[in-house]
Structures are given as structure tokens and as C-alpha cells.
Amino acid sequence: MLPPVAEQLEQIQHGTQEVLPLKELEAKLEASVKENRPLRIKMGFDPSAPDIHLGHAVGLRKLKTFQDLGHQIVLIVGDYTGMVGDPTGRKETRPRLTREQVDANAQTYLDQFFKVLDPDKCEVRRNGEWFGKMHFDEVMGLAARFTVARMLERDDFEKRYKAGEPISIHEFFYPIMQGYDSVVIKSDVELGGTEQKFNLLVGRTLQEAHSQPPQVILTLPILEGIDGVQRMSKSLGNYIGVTEAPRDMFGKVMSIPDNMIVRYFKLATTMHPKEVQEIEAKLKAGENPRHIKATLGKAIVAMYHDEEAAEQASEEFNRMFKGGQAPDDMPEFELEADGAGLWIIRAVTGAGLVKSNGEARRMIKQRAVRVDGE
């Protein structure tokens, strides 16, 4: 039996940005409870890179909420949309990926998704199943439902057009393809980041055109990185990867600013809303943020590894940063120095510990780097 509607709504709305339209979601939930029929909850992923981080996992966490409530998760692997490339937030056309790149990344993505989701309760579809068989007259039929003016309502397209920057015709097809995915799988609810709102609305339009009840849109906030300022990004070096070692994952969580603790509990864990409220109250009452941050770190490590790994990571962190001891297992790197020695920033980047000189400088300023104990 599905839980009562009020209980479901509390958990679904927790940590979300918008639910559009909310009344339609309530009606869908009421019908599903009455008929004991799970809703079909859609989220699509373009396998554009091989690894995901906690920012990507915000959507997965919300899918897990729906899954735990008894609904059917439908993951769309965008093997065709991935070759087009999502233009959202882009100032220029994305380079198109090859079929081989997409296929390799897709398997890696799914392996990481199932660190969060129960694979036995997921329906996984590739949109190449339908787009690969589509005739050109069908493509033209879809395109005819939208005007150039409608496409230029997208903030990123509008900015590029006004700036005289090129927009390739195939980029206009991206939101149409994403929307048509919803028609094929008969989506009841689609999840996406706030920047995906236009694409999600296109799905509603196409479902109505195909005489389907339109999906409810649920947008999710963007998770800031461990710097607490910019969105989590591998290129910025402020990310926590879901496949990182427990020690590294825990240490990065402990480095987030105190004002991000509650936000990380809301967006990066599956903790019940009432428990998050209790944590927020403790912080306001003056409890040491470091203790609560350690709870957060263990919760996140346990989700992607297990409880034992979380405890070990916490104990090792305390040994290193409270007792000043070295970790149990340290990798070694050999680097060549010139006559003047080895520049510390080059040492840190050359060992692969950070991605750029800028990130190395930031870590050094934050006193995160030691040489011979100093």
C-alpha cells in the first residue's frame, strides 16, 4: 500500500525548488493511492562525462524518496540526446559525442546511480530505442509544434542570440527530444534542476498534444560545492565524487562552511525532514557545528560505501586533524625537480592532488598542505 498523500507530499517537497502544478501532483497522488497504482517518475541523464558527484546526485536522492514511497522510477539514458548535447547554460554549441563515448559513459553512470537507487525497482530506457527508429516525417511533425520564438524564450538561447553567438539548428531539437521521452514512457512526474525548467515544460506540451495527462514538474536546487559559493563542479575542484574513497569523501564534507550544513543534509542525504529540522534547531541552539558536520560526513560516506567505512573515515580524520598523525595509507608520487628545487604548487598539481594551480593556491591558503609536518 502506498503511504497517505499528506505524508508523501511532505517528503516529496522537502528540499525541492518548485512543484508545478502542485494541485496536479496532489490529484495524481490521490488517484495512485486510491487505485494502489505507483506513479511513473522520470529523470533523464545524458552520459556526457564518466563520473558523477553529489551535485548530480541531488536528483538521485529525490528519486530514492519516490522509490521508497513505492513509485516506479524510470531512468532515461540519453544516448541520442547525449549525442546532441544539452545546450542549457551553454554560451556555445557543445561538441557532439560519438556513439562509443556515450555507450562507455552510460554504463559508468548506471553503476554510480545504483549506489543510490535499488536497480531492481528501476526501469532503465535509452531514448535511442525510439529516436533510432523515427522517420524524418515524424521528426518534422514534432518540430512543427514549436516556433523559433518559443525556443528563444530559453534564457541561454536568448542571450546567445542577442550577443550574436551562433546557435546550431540541432540544439533546438534537444528540449523537443527530452519532451518526447516523456510521451513514450508516459511520465507522471519529471525531475530536473532549476535550469531544466524549459525542457520539462516542453514535455508537458508534447504529452497534451498526444492526448496524455501532462506530467508534473519537480525542479531541484543546485548544490553548491565545498567552497559554499559556486555550484559543485569538477572543473572548479569543489566537488565530492560519489566514487571517492571514504576518507576523502569524509574530509571534504568536514571542509564545507558551517552555513552549508543544513543545505547538505537536505540535498545530499535521505534524512527525513523532521530529523533535518531537529539538526537545524541544534545549530541555532549553539551546538558545535563540527560535531554535526561529522554526523553529515558519516551519513554521506555510509550512503556510498557502508556504515563501517563511515566510522573508519571519521576515526582516521580525528587522528589526523586532532592528533596530527599521518593517515594509515598514503600514496607516493615521484616528481622531478629543477636546480632551484620544486615549486610547492607544482608539487601539489603534479601529484594529481588538485586539478589546477589556482586550486592548489586555495588549498595552501586554507592551510590544507603540509611539508615535513609544517
Side-chain angles (χ1 to χ4, degrees):
M1 292 292 291
L2 294 163
V5 172
E7 181 182 330
Q8 292 194 58
L9 279 173
E10 181 185 21
Q11 294 191 48
I12 290 167
Q13 289 184 275
H14 177 67
T16 62
Q17 191 80 13
E18 284 186 290
V19 179
L20 297 172
L22 179 58
K23 289 292 184 186
E24 286 187 20
L25 176 60
E26 291 176 2
K28 285 177 182 284
L29 289 171
E30 285 167 2
S32 74
V33 169
K34 184 178 179 180
E35 301 165 15
N36 195 29
R37 171 185 54 80
L39 296 179
R40 291 175 66 75
I41 314 301
K42 170 200 172 191
M43 192 164 184
F45 296 90
D46 289 340
S48 55
D51 297 309
I52 64 173
H53 52 61
L54 294 192
H56 298 125
V58 171
L60 297 178
R61 302 248 66 84
K62 187 55 64 178
L63 288 178
K64 184 67 164 63
T65 297
F66 276 104
Q67 194 173 64
D68 291 343
L69 290 171
H71 298 291
Q72 177 63 56
I73 304 306
V74 185
L75 288 174
I76 305 291
V77 178
D79 55 346
Y80 259 59
T81 44
M83 288 192 291
V84 172
D86 186 359
T88 304
R90 301 287 294 189
K91 294 182 179 179
E92 57 188 20
T93 302
R94 283 183 185 269
R96 295 188 64 190
L97 298 179
T98 65
R99 166 78 62 183
E100 291 73 20
Q101 288 173 311
V102 169
D103 287 345
N105 290 345
Q107 188 54 54
T108 307
Y109 265 46
L110 289 173
D111 292 343
Q112 294 172 75
F113 292 165
F114 294 143
K115 286 179 171 287
V116 177
L117 299 169
D118 182 347
D120 295 329
K121 297 178 181 178
C122 286
E123 180 181 327
V124 179
R125 305 288 295 275
R126 294 179 176 233
N127 56 22
E129 291 176 38
W130 41 93
F131 289 127
K133 300 172 185 175
M134 189 173 279
H135 295 292
F136 194 67
D137 61 334
E138 295 175 278
V139 175
M140 289 191 294
L142 285 176
R145 297 186 181 276
F146 299 91
T147 65
V148 172
R150 171 79 187 277
M151 288 298 169
L152 290 177
E153 289 174 9
R154 279 183 58 136
D155 183 59
D156 38 24
F157 282 156
E158 182 185 19
K159 287 177 180 175
R160 285 166 62 183
Y161 182 73
K162 286 182 176 178
E165 294 165 349
I167 303 171
S168 296
I169 294 295
H170 79 279
E171 293 182 87
F172 283 161
F173 278 94
Y174 188 92
I176 299 172
M177 293 168 76
Q178 181 175 331
Y180 189 69
D181 291 345
S182 298
V183 174
V184 174
I185 62 112
K186 296 181 170 61
S187 165
D188 289 305
V189 180
E190 182 171 10
L191 278 61
T194 52
E195 79 284 358
Q196 290 286 320
K197 187 173 177 178
F198 181 92
N199 296 355
L200 306 181
L201 288 169
V202 169
R204 283 177 60 87
T205 299
L206 287 175
Q207 284 181 306
E208 289 178 314
H210 285 79
S211 302
Q212 290 183 15
Q215 64 188 11
V216 170
I217 292 168
L218 195 151
T219 63
L220 301 164
I222 303 300
L223 181 65
E224 294 83 359
I226 58 176
D227 57 0
V229 179
Q230 301 188 77
R231 68 182 293 167
M232 188 172 286
S233 165
K234 294 193 77 172
S235 61
L236 295 174
N238 64 351
Y239 68 98
I240 302 175
V242 302
T243 58
E244 289 194 57
R247 180 182 69 200
D248 298 332
M249 192 176 280
F250 186 88
K252 286 186 175 182
V253 172
M254 293 301 290
S255 74
I256 68 171
D258 294 346
N259 65 346
M260 297 299 298
I261 293 173
V262 173
R263 189 162 174 81
Y264 268 63
F265 269 113
K266 284 181 179 179
L267 300 182
T269 76
T270 52
M271 189 169 282
H272 194 279
K274 286 186 171 60
E275 293 179 276
V276 177
Q277 289 170 7
E278 290 170 6
I279 285 168
E280 196 166 6
K282 288 178 181 178
L283 284 167
K284 288 179 179 176
E287 185 162 329
N288 189 336
R290 187 186 180 284
H291 297 154
I292 296 177
K293 211 181 289 184
T295 301
L296 172 64
K298 286 195 282 189
I300 289 175
V301 173
M303 285 191 299
Y304 296 103
H305 296 280
D306 54 43
E307 297 285 349
E308 184 180 353
E311 285 297 331
Q312 289 176 352
S314 175
E315 290 169 7
E316 184 168 5
F317 182 88
N318 287 331
R319 281 202 313 273
M320 290 169 59
F321 292 95
K322 276 188 173 180
Q325 299 178 32
D328 295 331
D329 180 31
M330 289 195 297
E332 294 184 5
F333 304 92
E334 290 188 8
L335 301 168
E336 290 186 10
D338 56 30
L342 185 62
W343 187 33
I344 182 62
I345 288 177
R346 180 171 165 258
V348 175
T349 55
L353 300 173
V354 295
K355 298 291 185 184
S356 67
N357 288 347
E359 188 183 351
R361 287 190 183 90
R362 182 173 66 82
M363 299 301 286
I364 291 166
K365 285 179 181 177
Q366 292 177 355
R367 304 177 64 79
V369 179
R370 292 187 190 180
V371 177
D372 294 332
E374 267 185 58

